[in-house]
Amino acid sequence: MQCYTELTPPTAVTHALYLPFLSSSSNNLVVAKTSLLQIFSLKSITTEAGTSSRSYTIATDSINHTSRSQFENDSLDQSYLASDIILQKSERIHTTKLVLVAEYALPGTIVSIARVKTLSSLSGGEALLVATKDAKLSLVEWDPQRHAISTISVHYYEGEELQGSPWTPHLSQSVNHLTVDPSSRCAALKFSARYLAILPFHQAGDDLVMDDYDPDLDGERPESNIPAHQSGGVAFDTQTPYASSFVLPVSALDPSLVHPVHLAFLYEYREPTFGILSSQIAASASLLHERRDMLSYTVFTLDLEQRASTSLLSISGLPYDLHRVIPLPPPVGGALLVGGNEFIHVDQAGKTNGVGVNEFAKQCSSFAMADQSDLAMRLEGCTVEQLGADNGDMLMVLNTGELAVVGFRLDGRSVSGVSVRRVAGDHGGSVVLGKASCATVLGRGRLFIGSEVSDSIVLGWTRKSDRSKRKRSLAGLKTEDEDESIDEDDMDDDDDLYSGAAGHGQQELTVTPSNPSADGDYVFKIHDFLPNLAPLSEIALGRPGLSPGGRAAQDLCGVSAELELVSTSGRGRSGGVTALHREIDPKVVGRFDLPNAHGFWAVSVKRPLAKGTVIQSSDSNQLNGELNATDGFDKFMIASKSTETGAEESTVYDLTATGFEEMKGTEFESDAGGTIDVGTLAGGTRIVQALKGEIRSYDGDLGLAQIFPMTDDLTGAEPKIVSTSFADPYVLVVRDDSSVMVLEADDSGDLDEVERSDILLATKWLSGSLYNDRSGFFDVLRKEPARADTTSVFLFLLGAKGALQIFQLPHLANPVYTAESLGFLPPFLSAEYTVRRSTARETITEILVANLGDRTTSSPYLILRDANDDLTIYEPYQSPIDGSSESVSSALRFLKIPNPHLAKSPVKSAVETTTADQQGRNNPLRAVSDIGGHSTVFLPGVSPSFILKSASSLPRVLSFRGRAVKGMSGFHTDGCHRGFVYVDIEDIVRVSQLPSGVRFGETGWVERKMVLGEEVQALSYHPPMEAYILGTSRKIDFKLPEDDDFHHEWRSEDISFRPRVDQGFIKILSPVNWTIVDTYELDQGEFVMCIRTLNLETSENTHERQDLVAVGTAMIQGEDLPARGCIYIFEIITVVPELGRPETDLKLKLIAKEEVKGAVTALSKIGTQGFLLAAQGQKCMVRGLKEDGSLLPVAFMDMQCYVSVARELTGTGLCVMGDAVKGVWLIGYSEEPYQMKVFGKDTSQLEVIAADFLPDGKQLYIVVADADCNINILQFDPEHPKSLSGQRLLHRSTFDTGHPISSLSLVPRTASSSELMAASMNDGMDTDAFIPRSPPHQILTTTQSGCLALITPLNEQVYRRLQVLQTQLANTLDNACGLNPRAYRAVESDGMGGRGMLDGTLLRRWMELGSQRRAEVAGRVGVANWVVRGDLDMIGGGGLGYL
């Protein structure tokens, strides 16, 4: 009984597509990451260059040792610019940034995406066709009313009647291709081995007599009676956008299409026409002498009405290694066929032009082609995408990340030749660090390159020829009155950003060359990137290193993780390691004790103006903007604390370069009481202090300017202030009698009350927030047109009955917007949304409207806080106004953002809990405009958290490490730039910053990626020396050994284009600054297979034991020679460090080396005597280290094919051995006598990728990951009758993860906060109904797609209620693209007591429901909401407290 939960989303980009999706005029990028679908918009950023002239060059070495995350806040990645771009003073730089609009976790694996232009859509934009595994198509469009995608149809081609003959490969083992006609007349899905599904789409003119109109040839169609595209989404009659699909065998097109390779629809045809690569016999490199040129390329045109096809041309005798058809738009046209050694262009008439790019092109094919073998390129895994429509040049990304340009020589419309040229390194040829998985054009001059092994990037390009010709054109346009400093690059980038038709003033700047560009004509630079952690493979848990020159250890006590998770990531030049944390560890700048403090407010204020100067209200915003533009430091800090007698007081400190100095001799009265809140008004010239009974206003020198009491003039009551909210020139005051008051600062800075209406006086209010709408987002609610020089301030109030009301200040007579159902937390909130009578209203304690984002973009969000400190985040959006609507307020709606984060349960000491309860609402949400470049919101209390968002992610709630936080404020001084100050429950004040060089928003974890420039194949942590041991490799040319006695002909080998093999290195990585401190180079052609840190016995006499590093290697010298391997034993010793580098005091010392037959593929500890278990070739041996440096074998066992994993259950002698072909063996090891014995085998013969034990009480499970992305649960149960006394491992269940799994690691499990809370309950409560004691272990899973997952064992009670909850959620929740989560997971059990694995990712979506549906589902489960919440905390990583 287990649960599989994805802790982080996948990060590897598999597919990308550019289309107008949100509207007919929008520019959107749709990105697929295995099972995650993301929609981005493009944003152009214009920045000023530095004041000094600088030249940037591409430095590959610096890239290798630096994470790109340090450039995330820069508008331009300086390390990736071309060397010929000189940034002059005040030069404007244009970059394109990606801004995430929406993302959807699909219950399916995306295999392809395509764009379809339908007759009409809800948004007016195009539709998206998503193909998912195994053979499903989902047609989706954007619904602006719900601000989400809407599924139009789902097409299913997985029926048994379409599976083909029994001996054909299974549908899941086939490679599927999705292609769409350029005119959106139909789509074709090639699935199974030889089936083709055709999905026609209705287009204008379908119901008319067939004419000769073609959109590619004839331009825009004349107006007809058919309704045009309308943004309102008017339906086209009552028809669906598609016609009935049909399936036909590929052989029905032509009997010779026995083995289809690839197909794609072509441009410039009046009917849907596609080209297909195929062969009559299967291609085989080993039979090249018999099957040399056996591929054929055939073009078919489809008749959709008759469901028939016609062959237009066929070309045979093509090279065997062609694998892709790329359709080319005008002016080139035709198709480009991509092979492993060549390119071949085929035009519409069947004329061919080819070019070979290495010396094997001529040896492997007799096809006529040009010779460019001097390029020495390998085209396997390359990605090709068109650069521009001017001359048809195409950009090619090789599997190493190198860039090349494919050019065509045009004679009119005829192609006379194809040429390939590399892009020089100083022109950006090395900016891509890894193999590209996809590429798409983002308008003119921009490309998106997605990758599964490195960061995906937005690549901009310019051309020198265009730039020089533009300069001459601009010189002719200048007049005497014009500014002489026109920026040519700026004009060029403007053209690139807007890919539509040029304006009249730009016609002279258009350049359309007809011939291929000269070498070096293109210059590439990176504009933006999507971080990628994939592929995650091996992991290690280690202690975080202390930074050089950092604070003392006591400063980090309590705010630093016990352990950190480090994993290998990336491949090739993008290889490196990634450190992951579940919580944010602050970078402590200063620390001191301040007893009884419970709040801080750092204030940046301006000096008072000269006497007699009057501040105009219209200039206040401008003054405030000037203050922010100059990065004004905070001047004062006000602290609120309690005295020994219990009274509260406030102290003001002067912030200096040396620290804090308490100020005396000012008009600030410390004994006036404790401070509730502090803000600035009047353009930053007035400090406003909110006390419990009054509001005080000070000038910039802390001169008392005004006291505004809270006394009610009519009743004489003196309500106390509970909370405030500031938005210049207003301040909102919420009082303990549930009343609110709004004060406004006049031109002189004095506060006066804004007249309240009867609605405001008669309603009980729980919370409120002010929002200064500088971006004009809420202009739809304005009562009068907005002026260009003013901003609107809106008041958001939460009523006692859960209603949200919005007022536009200073008008408080009537709300401009009312949503009565906010208290029910619906997924979509609007003014019209109503809930039937229900008592399941959520207890909301606070409301806040604030900007979230980074320096690229930020936008407002509505944040709700409930009684459990769980946060609900709503994104406001404007939907199109229906013509029948009477109020414009219906255009404003709110969409709930998925947030699986659960606040920690208040399991604290009695004193701490009492103190936190006494403070009550003195710990409001704190919005800070800039902390480390992020506009963020901080949640204080027993579960401190940050809400962080980047431009390419949704808002994420990340826990803040440490004890409960009583108060927090932003802090910006010369010694702590854009940091924060906070005080915890232990009265410790820390001045901190967010850690640098890390990212927060993409995965919901804190991630620090270190690119080392080499692929990391193995990883281990050495606890005594607190360092990581890496096995890395780089590619080198392979040469056949000349000393072989049986192959003398190898000595005369004479080829220049040699194969590439891995050259291995063993390195020590210091976690202090993540640099390599020592390197051990292996023999040529030898590479690392595995690394383990083992406690081995080093002396047979004294039986002394020591932590040593064991390394297993392999040497592959071609298929004619057997593989060999070595076992290395290293000791890490301390040496004298290099000058200025104290971390270089470690060095590898070789103490043993044993050459063995066969590759050493797995290592493990075994037994209690300090021996090691090594899988070498087809044997597993137990070896002991002798004093002379030899490894003595003491026991062995014969294996079968290839041992992929070897793990021991510590202290038991039980080992699990996984074979890559023959399944899993459970082996027992005994020491007296030394022997190994097979206890049980898996009879299903799984293709084992990874395996590990999962003990659960008295039951022993083995978790196995196979090559089909499945997790298999096996059990060793000798008492079960079907296990044959344990000889057969019982196959309990199978679970489809949807991601290729790379490792399984058994990790310890700590008690979650929910379990601790249950344990601290009174004895009289029924705690057994909550969470019984859970197993002490769980399995951490890494995948090739960058997803981190957790397998948690469950007891009977928890499993049963979560199983019921999963069933309810599967029937209740809406799933994107109309997919079925049950079919996606394909859970199977043996029916003999085995339980299927639960889907924790689906269970965590319980938080997406509204409070009413949540209560209904919990009622069907039979437990209260807090019980479900505790279960979700347990399966969602709550047991990883040490991270």
Side-chain angles (χ1 to χ4, degrees), residues 1299-1318:
H1299 305 278
I1301 298 174
S1302 54
S1303 72
L1304 298 172
S1305 302
L1306 185 67
V1307 296
R1309 182 183 182 278
T1310 60
S1312 64
S1313 61
S1314 301
E1315 292 172 313
L1316 293 175
M1317 182 186 69

Side-chain angles (χ1 to χ4, degrees), residues 952-1136:
S952 58
S953 72
L954 294 177
R956 309 280 189 185
V957 181
L958 283 84
S959 297
F960 183 74
R961 195 176 305 279
R963 305 295 296 275
V965 174
K966 297 191 290 184
M968 176 267 187
S969 172
F971 193 83
H972 181 48
T973 63
D974 190 24
C976 180
H977 283 259
R978 299 302 176 191
F980 56 96
V981 58
Y982 71 98
V983 56
D984 62 16
I985 202 69
E986 297 177 346
D987 295 331
I988 300 177
V989 179
R990 292 182 177 88
V991 178
S992 309
Q993 294 173 318
L994 291 179
S996 59
V998 302
R999 298 188 68 90
F1000 306 98
E1002 279 72 15
T1003 62
W1005 284 43
V1006 182
E1007 57 192 53
R1008 182 192 300 271
K1009 183 178 179 181
M1010 287 68 63
V1011 178
L1012 303 177
E1014 294 180 356
E1015 183 173 345
V1016 182
Q1017 297 172 323
L1019 168 69
S1020 182
Y1021 180 71
H1022 193 273
M1025 295 301 178
E1026 297 186 352
Y1028 293 94
I1029 314 302
L1030 309 180
T1032 67
S1033 67
R1034 67 168 67 111
K1035 295 293 184 180
I1036 61 171
D1037 288 340
F1038 173 72
K1039 187 177 180 181
L1040 291 172
E1042 298 181 356
D1043 55 351
D1044 188 83
D1045 296 332
F1046 300 97
H1047 298 84
H1048 301 286
E1049 69 277 5
W1050 289 355
R1051 301 175 185 176
S1052 60
E1053 180 191 18
D1054 184 20
I1055 60 171
S1056 58
F1057 189 64
R1058 301 183 184 276
R1060 308 277 286 175
V1061 295
D1062 291 323
Q1063 171 64 48
F1065 302 87
I1066 304 171
K1067 300 186 177 184
I1068 300 179
L1069 177 68
S1070 172
V1072 175
N1073 53 8
W1074 301 106
T1075 57
I1076 302 298
V1077 298
D1078 189 36
T1079 301
Y1080 182 90
E1081 184 175 356
L1082 299 178
D1083 295 337
Q1084 185 175 6
E1086 184 179 10
F1087 57 94
V1088 177
M1089 297 291 293
C1090 52
I1091 294 180
R1092 293 289 183 269
T1093 300
L1094 306 176
N1095 186 258
L1096 300 180
E1097 182 181 277
T1098 57
S1099 174
E1100 299 173 278
N1101 300 322
T1102 63
H1103 300 289
E1104 180 183 357
R1105 300 177 69 164
Q1106 186 178 357
D1107 285 339
L1108 301 176
V1109 178
V1111 180
T1113 67
M1115 288 174 283
I1116 308 298
Q1117 297 181 327
E1119 58 187 10
D1120 294 320
L1121 295 178
R1124 297 185 295 112
C1126 279
I1127 302 175
Y1128 293 84
I1129 305 296
F1130 289 96
E1131 179 187 1
I1132 300 182
I1133 60 175
T1134 57
V1135 295
V1136 178

Side-chain angles (χ1 to χ4, degrees), residues 70 474 530 564 758 770 778 792 800 979 1040 1202 1222 1362 1425:
Q70 66 180 340
L474 288 170
L530 297 179
E564 63 184 353
D758 295 339
L770 292 177
F778 295 103
S792 297
L1040 291 172
Y1202 178 91
K1222 297 296 184 179
L1362 288 182
N1425 281 3

Side-chain angles (χ1 to χ4, degrees), residues 818-892:
T818 301
E820 298 288 346
S821 304
L822 178 63
F824 294 97
L825 303 181
F828 289 91
L829 178 66
S830 64
E832 299 85 6
Y833 184 86
T834 58
V835 179
R836 67 178 185 270
R837 185 178 181 87
S838 174
T839 59
R841 182 182 289 111
E842 190 68 42
T843 304
I844 302 176
T845 60
E846 189 175 356
I847 183 176
L848 176 67
V849 179
N851 285 336
L852 296 176
D854 54 14
R855 290 178 180 147
T856 299
T857 181
S858 63
S859 55
Y861 286 86
L862 172 64
I863 304 169
L864 308 179
R865 180 183 184 181
D866 65 13
N868 295 323
D869 276 351
D870 290 332
L871 298 177
T872 303
I873 306 173
Y874 279 95
E875 178 187 6
Y877 68 94
Q878 297 179 11
S879 64
I881 301 177
D882 191 356
S884 61
S885 299
E886 298 180 358
S887 174
V888 295
S889 64
S890 62
L892 179 63

Side-chain angles (χ1 to χ4, degrees), residues 506-787:
Q506 296 178 337
Q507 291 180 359
E508 294 84 357
L509 303 180
T510 302
V511 180
T512 309
S514 58
N515 295 321
S517 315
D519 187 20
D521 201 20
Y522 291 96
V523 178
F524 298 92
K525 60 182 179 181
I526 290 181
H527 287 205
D528 199 6
F529 70 97
L530 297 179
N532 177 26
L533 307 182
L536 298 175
S537 52
E538 295 201 15
I539 64 172
L541 296 176
R543 294 187 178 277
L546 299 178
S547 301
R551 308 292 300 179
Q554 60 269 21
D555 290 355
L556 299 177
C557 180
V559 295
S560 179
E562 299 179 20
L563 299 172
E564 63 184 353
L565 177 66
V566 178
S567 174
T568 61
S569 62
R571 285 180 181 164
R573 292 186 298 135
S574 64
V577 296
T578 300
L580 297 169
H581 294 264
R582 290 182 63 245
E583 299 180 346
I584 298 176
D585 297 344
K587 178 184 177 182
V588 179
V589 179
R591 176 186 183 275
F592 60 92
D593 295 333
L594 188 62
N596 301 320
H598 53 76
F600 289 96
W601 295 268
V603 182
S604 176
V605 64
K606 296 179 181 178
R607 294 283 183 181
L609 298 178
K611 188 174 182 179
T613 303
V614 179
I615 302 175
Q616 300 294 332
S617 59
S618 61
D619 297 335
S620 62
N621 292 328
Q622 181 180 357
L623 291 173
N624 193 26
E626 293 175 356
L627 174 64
N628 294 332
T630 56
D631 289 334
F633 293 137
D634 293 332
K635 184 179 179 183
F636 304 115
M637 186 177 72
I638 298 175
S640 179
K641 57 184 179 179
S642 302
T643 62
E644 297 179 356
T645 61
E648 294 186 355
E649 64 178 10
S650 301
T651 307
V652 62
Y653 296 89
D654 185 18
L655 302 181
T656 63
T658 58
F660 306 152
E661 295 181 4
E662 185 175 350
M663 298 186 65
K664 302 291 185 181
T666 66
E667 297 182 9
F668 186 89
E669 298 182 16
S670 298
D671 54 359
T675 301
I676 302 297
D677 201 358
V678 176
T680 59
L681 296 178
T685 61
R686 289 292 180 93
I687 302 176
V688 179
Q689 179 193 21
L691 305 174
K692 288 187 177 181
E694 61 189 19
I695 299 288
R696 295 196 172 203
S697 178
Y698 301 89
D699 60 22
D701 287 330
L702 292 181
L704 184 61
Q706 184 184 7
I707 298 178
F708 195 100
M710 290 292 104
T711 305
D712 193 329
D713 296 335
L714 297 179
T715 63
E718 297 181 358
K720 302 300 182 181
I721 298 177
V722 176
S723 64
T724 61
S725 179
F726 293 88
D728 200 6
Y730 301 99
V731 56
L732 168 67
V733 180
V734 181
R735 300 183 290 189
D736 59 358
D737 62 349
S738 298
S739 64
V740 296
M741 174 186 295
V742 180
L743 306 180
E744 181 181 9
D746 58 16
D747 293 342
S748 61
D750 293 335
L751 297 175
D752 194 10
E753 182 180 358
V754 178
E755 182 179 355
R756 292 179 286 176
S757 63
D758 295 339
I759 297 179
L760 226 60
L761 293 171
T763 308
K764 298 293 185 180
W765 305 104
L766 296 179
S767 180
S769 176
L770 292 177
Y771 178 73
N772 196 336
D773 188 20
R774 301 182 187 277
S775 63
F777 187 88
F778 295 103
D779 281 349
V780 67
L781 302 179
R782 293 177 66 105
K783 292 187 176 182
E784 66 276 346
R787 288 167 44 190

Side-chain angles (χ1 to χ4, degrees), residues 82 84-85 387-393 405 421 427 444-446 460-471 488-489 492-493 496 509-525:
D84 63 338
I85 300 178
L387 277 174
D390 292 342
N391 53 11
D393 283 354
V405 176
R421 61 186 183 277
H427 289 172
R444 183 178 178 186
R446 304 291 185 270
W461 58 269
T462 55
R463 299 175 58 193
K464 287 183 178 180
S465 59
D466 286 358
R467 204 176 307 166
S468 60
K469 293 180 181 180
R470 289 174 188 270
K471 289 181 180 180
E488 297 84 18
D489 283 343
D492 186 31
D493 282 325
D496 295 340
L509 303 180
T510 302
V511 180
T512 309
S514 58
N515 295 321
S517 315
D519 187 20
D521 201 20
Y522 291 96
V523 178
F524 298 92
K525 60 182 179 181

